[in-house]
Amino acid sequence: MVESGELQEIIDEFLQANVEWTFDTVADMKLATNLLAGSYAKTLGFYAIGDGGGATYKISDTGTANEMDVIAIDTLFANLVANKEVNAKQFGAKGDGSTDDTAALQRAIDYTSSIHGTLNITDGTYMVDAVTNLIVKSNIELNFINAKIKAIATDQTTYNVLYFKDCQNCVINDAVVEGEKDEHIGDSGEYGYGICIRGDSKNLTFNNVTVSNCWGDGIFIHKLGSESPYTYPTEIYFNGYIRISNCRRQGISIISCGNIFLDKVICKNIFGTDPSA
């Protein structure tokens, strides 16, 4: 074995598989030729060094790439390794105010929900397709840190920028949500919501909320039409300030619910269609 060089090959492969390789970006990692299944890779950013998307990945020879938390590298796959706290930029969200970040944010939410963890949305304006809905899942803490989510302009009369459907056991801190009233294409309809809470949603805590510029209501709380009358949002807590402005129909609509707590509510400049309340 020694004479044939097989032992050295085994040693080299072992060492290569048990080292953490460092790359500037995900694009650089994708060009790597020295990775083996079982090894680890570290990036210093997703698109650029220090952009908030730096992460550690475990390399595997099986997987399904989505180019967010599972990255294809030739015949290998880099799988995001995370503790209980992740950043949306680790999933490829840019927050540059122009890129459609819907898919990246949704994947980040789904991933964080699956580990009952914390998702930080940081430093930027994240554009989302509110007609598709950004759906918040159960068992997640969602932190907005110098960041907001803004709806992409649409001609649709119904949308939800941040949608809670049958969502349970969540904490949302310092949410900043903006609709597209000023950019809306068309002049009909009235059901574009900033935050919509429906169905069997319960035990949701919002600590400080800012919602603006929605085609309909800033916040809308209601059971779904096809549900039992006993299935509606319950135990919803809005702590701190709720600031709602420049929405077209109403500031807050609470249609059916149980045990909703609201602390300090400021609604202003609500106008555009009745009741404008």
Side-chain angles (χ1 to χ4, degrees):
M1 179 182 293
V2 174
E3 291 179 356
S4 68
E6 290 181 14
L7 178 59
Q8 188 61 50
E9 289 177 8
I10 292 171
I11 293 173
D12 290 345
E13 184 170 321
F14 174 81
L15 292 174
Q16 190 175 15
N18 287 273
V19 69
E20 182 180 86
W21 301 92
T22 301
F23 303 94
D24 288 349
T25 66
V26 168
D28 293 325
M29 181 176 66
K30 288 171 65 68
L31 296 175
T33 59
N34 55 349
L35 297 174
L36 292 174
S39 64
Y40 288 84
K42 179 181 179 180
T43 60
L44 303 179
F46 199 97
Y47 300 105
I49 294 175
D51 66 4
T56 298
Y57 300 85
K58 184 171 184 179
I59 308 304
S60 172
D61 55 7
T62 60
T64 302
N66 56 32
E67 303 309 314
M68 289 176 276
D69 60 295
V70 183
I71 310 295
I73 306 174
D74 195 15
T75 60
L76 298 173
F77 301 89
N79 300 274
L80 179 67
V81 177
N83 53 25
K84 290 291 187 178
E85 186 168 354
V86 295
N87 191 308
K89 292 184 177 180
Q90 292 176 311
F91 296 78
K94 289 187 174 181
D96 60 6
S98 58
T99 301
D100 184 346
D101 282 324
T102 310
L105 286 175
Q106 190 62 66
R107 182 61 184 172
I109 289 170
D110 294 349
Y111 183 97
T112 309
S113 173
S114 72
I115 63 172
H116 293 203
T118 298
L119 173 62
N120 297 324
I121 300 176
T122 63
D123 300 316
T125 297
Y126 294 78
M127 305 300 296
V128 299
D129 181 350
V131 178
T132 298
N133 302 319
L134 193 59
I135 302 171
V136 181
K137 303 293 182 66
S138 297
N139 305 309
I140 185 174
E141 180 175 338
L142 185 58
N143 297 321
F144 288 70
I145 304 171
N146 192 31
K148 71 177 177 181
I149 293 175
K150 177 173 171 52
I152 296 170
T154 180
D155 62 355
Q156 299 299 298
T157 61
T158 301
Y159 62 72
N160 307 293
V161 184
L162 209 55
Y163 188 35
F164 298 79
K165 178 182 178 293
D166 302 327
C167 181
Q168 302 181 7
N169 308 319
C170 294
V171 177
I172 300 89
N173 295 312
D174 303 309
V176 181
V177 178
E178 184 176 341
E180 46 74 84
K181 176 184 174 183
D182 293 340
E183 302 87 20
H184 190 79
I185 305 166
D187 56 8
S188 63
E190 58 188 53
Y191 301 112
Y193 305 135
I195 294 175
C196 182
I197 304 172
R198 287 186 178 272
D200 191 22
S201 292
K202 64 179 64 173
N203 193 25
L204 305 182
T205 299
F206 297 81
N207 296 311
N208 298 315
V209 174
T210 300
V211 183
S212 64
N213 207 38
C214 295
W215 191 242
D217 302 357
I219 298 174
F220 184 86
I221 303 174
H222 189 26
K223 72 181 182 69
L224 293 174
S226 60
E227 292 178 340
S228 158
Y230 302 104
T231 303
Y232 48 73
T234 59
E235 307 299 335
I236 314 298
Y237 300 91
F238 290 91
N239 301 315
Y241 279 99
I242 307 169
R243 297 178 173 89
I244 302 175
S245 63
N246 197 41
C247 292
R248 185 165 175 267
R249 197 180 78 120
Q250 298 200 135
I252 303 176
S253 291
I254 302 176
I255 312 302
S256 56
C257 65
N259 297 333
I260 308 297
F261 175 85
L262 301 99
D263 191 3
K264 304 175 182 70
V265 182
I266 300 172
C267 295
K268 61 182 182 180
N269 298 329
I270 308 299
F271 67 94
T273 191
D274 290 339
S276 293

